[in-house]
Amino acid sequence: MHITELMELIKTRRSVRAYRPEPVSRETLQQLVEAAVWAPTGGSAQPWAFGIVDDPDMIANIATFSPGLFGGPPVILAMCVDESRAFKTPDGAGKDVLARMDVALAAQNLMLAAHAMGLGTCMVRSFNIPAVAALLELPPHIRIETLITLGVPAQPSGGGKRRPVEEVIFYNEWEGK
Amino acid sequence: MNREALEYLVFLSASADNLAKEPAMYGQLRLIDATARAIELFRAQGVVQDAALDGIAADIRENMFHLMDDRDAFNAMLARVNVSFARILKSAGKG
């Protein structure tokens, strides 16, 4: 892939909040998770687990406890930290910070791969964590970090504004900004 | 149990719990979303069916995500919604 294609993919991804009802195949979902697991991960800990919810009743129940989840997606992904695989650090950063960063990187891989397939996604943190964990019957060492809705977008997404690169960059020292 | 009504109640209680950990501006989003959901619930349950209320719900649905990218458009929607409610309230009289 040429850099211009990659930049186009990155810059045209949008958070989708309206989906068509078409299902997403398990094969496609498997491919997306493969993209996720190739994300960078500190010390190769790979402290993650990815729940795929494609049962309509389960989706409805999770959506009910997720005020920030919109659009009737046919799939919800539960992006989880597996605390049993996270590094044990004295300050707890292994599971609280590093594992969370790993899952976030995996999420971005997955969302870009989905976009390349013509699928839409939206990362959702506005959900009731204990309630959704109970619905998924998660054991105590599996902690949900974020949900990702997935499906065929109902309409093309517009918009997308970002602060200019010149405004957010600094070289070597902050003082030179 | 009435599933749609239950979902609405859960939306409210989950929002109340979550908002303590979320950006303050999401409070506005949840409240106006709850307004649209209530209108849709009333219609689905046959409690109230009113074209003006449907128009308000449609306006909310179309513009509520501008909270993230266009605050002026979001605020304008809030103002329109409340003006519309004022007209409906006035025409409804004292009930």
Side-chain angles (χ1 to χ4, degrees), chain A:
Chain A
M1 177 184 271
H2 194 272
I3 182 63
T4 53
E5 290 175 281
L6 179 60
M7 289 300 286
E8 178 71 7
L9 188 72
I10 291 169
K11 291 167 81 170
T12 55
R13 185 209 55 78
R14 294 287 178 277
S15 293
V16 171
R17 296 186 179 90
Y19 294 96
R20 295 193 341 216
E22 289 98 302
V24 179
S25 74
R26 290 268 172 106
E27 187 187 358
T28 298
L29 294 166
Q30 195 95 6
Q31 256 189 309
L32 291 174
V33 173
E34 189 179 357
V37 301
W38 279 98
T41 168
S44 200
Q46 304 176 60
W48 44 47
F50 306 104
I52 296 174
V53 181
D54 59 0
D55 174 78
D57 290 342
M58 280 286 287
I59 289 172
N61 286 339
I62 291 172
T64 298
F65 280 100
S66 307
L69 192 156
F70 298 95
V75 178
I76 297 173
L77 296 138
M79 310 295 284
C80 305
V81 163
D82 180 344
E83 292 187 352
S84 70
R85 291 183 174 274
F87 285 115
K88 313 286 183 285
T89 59
D91 61 356
K95 66 181 175 65
D96 293 337
V97 180
L98 303 179
R100 179 172 286 161
M101 290 166 75
D102 287 349
V103 169
L105 290 164
Q108 175 70 348
N109 266 18
L110 187 149
M111 291 190 291
L112 283 178
H115 181 42
M117 294 174 177
L119 295 169
T121 56
C122 186
M123 198 161 165
V124 178
R125 177 73 184 183
S126 297
F127 61 99
N128 193 275
I129 293 173
V132 173
L135 289 170
L136 295 171
E137 299 185 23
L138 298 181
H141 66 284
I142 302 294
R143 184 182 85 218
I144 317 177
E145 282 300 333
T146 185
L147 300 176
I148 294 178
T149 58
L150 174 78
V152 179
Q155 64 226 10
S157 300
K161 294 177 198 162
R162 289 296 183 266
R163 294 167 62 197
V165 171
E166 298 74 24
E167 186 182 307
V168 299
I169 202 168
F170 72 93
Y171 290 101
N172 303 315
E173 295 173 328
W174 184 262
E175 280 303 309
K177 186 172 163 59

Side-chain angles (χ1 to χ4, degrees), chain A residues 17 57 60-61 63-70 125-130 159-161, chain B residues 3 6-7 10-11 14-15 17-18 22 26 29-30 33 37 61 64-65 68-70:
Chain A
R17 296 186 179 90
D57 290 342
N61 286 339
T64 298
F65 280 100
S66 307
L69 192 156
F70 298 95
R125 177 73 184 183
S126 297
F127 61 99
N128 193 275
I129 293 173
K161 294 177 198 162
Chain B
R3 170 85 194 194
L6 182 62
E7 286 183 358
V10 174
F11 172 80
S15 296
D17 191 8
N18 287 12
E22 293 182 344
Y26 281 16
L29 182 65
R30 298 291 174 254
D33 187 12
R37 286 174 188 245
R61 289 279 171 250
M64 66 184 201
F65 295 123
M68 267 78 87
D69 63 12
D70 186 346

Side-chain angles (χ1 to χ4, degrees), chain B residues 48-62:
Chain B
V48 180
Q49 297 190 350
D50 182 279
L53 287 179
D54 292 343
I56 288 174
D59 194 2
I60 293 169
R61 289 279 171 250
E62 193 175 330

